Each structure stands twice: as C-alpha cells, then as structure tokens.
Amino acid sequence: MDILRQKAWSPYAAGIVIGLLQIPAFLLINTALGASSSFVTVGVSIAEWVDPAIREIGYAAKHLDGAKNWWQVALVIGIALGALLSASLSGMRRSGISPIWAKATGGISPAGRFAMAFAGGFILLLGARIADGCTSGHGISGTAQLALGSMIAVAAMFAGGIATAFLFKRIR
C-alpha cells in the first residue's frame, strides 16, 4: 500500500486503471464513464421534490431513474473522496489558497476565488452539457469507442486548454 502514500502516481498506471473501468461499466450497466450527467441527475432529482411534473420533460426524465444515472453520481462522489484520501495519505493536503492560484489571480480574496471558481465551473458544466459529455465522457469513453464526435470534442478541449494557458501566461 505504499503507492497510496506517494506524492505522484504514474499517469500511465492511472490511465490503465481508468481505462479498465470501462469494462465493468459497459458489461454491468451498459454505460460509459462520464461525470457531467451526474449533475443533471442530482439537479433533476432535487427539482422533482418541488415539482413532480418535471418527469414530463423528456431530458429531465431520462436522468431521473436507473443505475446508469446513479452510477455516474457515485463516480463523481468517489473521485472527490478519492482525491481527498490521496492528498491526506500522501501528505499533500494543504489549507488555504494555493500559491499558484494567488500568483495567477493577483491574490484575490477567498470570496472572489470562490466566485471565480463557481463561474468557471458553471461555464465548464454548461459546455459539457451542450457537447453532450464532459472530458471523461468524450476523452475516455468516447475515444475508446472511436466515436468521431468525441474525437472532435477532445481536439476542441485541448485547443481551448492551450489557448487558456497562453492567455494566463500573458496576464502574468
């Protein structure tokens, strides 16, 4: 179990393990790995408490029931808990604002940092839903299935990431 205490894991080994997760996902519940649909599942489930008629909306109804939807919710929760566990076991858990974040943003307040992170997350999730999948859905699952739409989405994600990196490099 020394691997759990390492500060960095091999990206190759981690990639193989994530790729192998596709097999039980497809065999057991006939779905691929993905994360963005989990937010829809949770949001629609909460909305159903307020208005049960939401089941009449096709997009909402397809995210309410079934193992496929709740598997993705469990996956997202597992990713967050796994990251916390990994950071704790490896001694990399920190408190406060990251020095890198403070330098990139000019040391804005915690409230400003929260607002910026929330806005960025919202835009990211909105884009993922418009693209009908997130980086894990398209990048891992879609490319594993050789889906053309996923190949295009991954290329666009990389282009956007590179453009953003250049933008932040110029700001500093």
Side-chain angles (χ1 to χ4, degrees):
M1 289 302 233
D2 285 336
I3 191 170
L4 296 178
R5 298 195 187 282
Q6 292 179 358
K7 293 189 181 197
W9 295 1
S10 163
Y12 306 110
I16 289 169
V17 170
I18 292 169
L20 289 174
L21 263 176
Q22 295 286 358
I23 297 168
F26 278 116
L27 292 177
L28 298 176
I29 53 178
N30 197 28
T31 191
L33 295 180
S36 63
S37 293
S38 64
F39 295 98
V40 178
T41 297
V42 171
V44 170
S45 296
I46 292 169
E48 186 183 31
W49 291 343
V50 177
D51 184 8
I54 200 163
R55 284 191 175 272
E56 295 174 20
I57 300 171
Y59 180 78
K62 77 176 188 175
H63 287 92
L64 273 169
D65 301 316
K68 173 185 176 185
N69 295 320
W70 291 101
W71 151 260
Q72 290 186 356
V73 172
L75 177 71
V76 169
I77 292 169
I79 289 169
L81 292 176
L84 177 64
L85 179 65
S86 175
S88 298
L89 289 174
S90 67
M92 295 298 290
R93 190 166 173 208
R94 64 174 184 265
S95 61
I97 296 175
S98 163
I100 295 169
W101 178 270
K103 184 178 178 182
T105 60
I108 61 173
S109 69
R113 177 179 176 239
F114 176 80
M116 193 178 209
F118 184 84
F122 179 82
I123 292 167
L124 185 93
L125 185 57
L126 177 65
R129 296 315 311 146
I130 290 170
D132 200 24
C134 58
T135 52
S136 57
H138 283 298
I140 298 168
S141 303
T143 57
Q145 297 173 66
L146 302 177
L148 179 61
S150 291
M151 301 287 185
I152 294 169
V154 169
M157 288 175 211
F158 272 96
I162 291 167
T164 302
F166 278 116
L167 178 68
F168 268 96
K169 186 176 181 182
R170 286 189 187 153
I171 290 173
R172 294 191 301 165

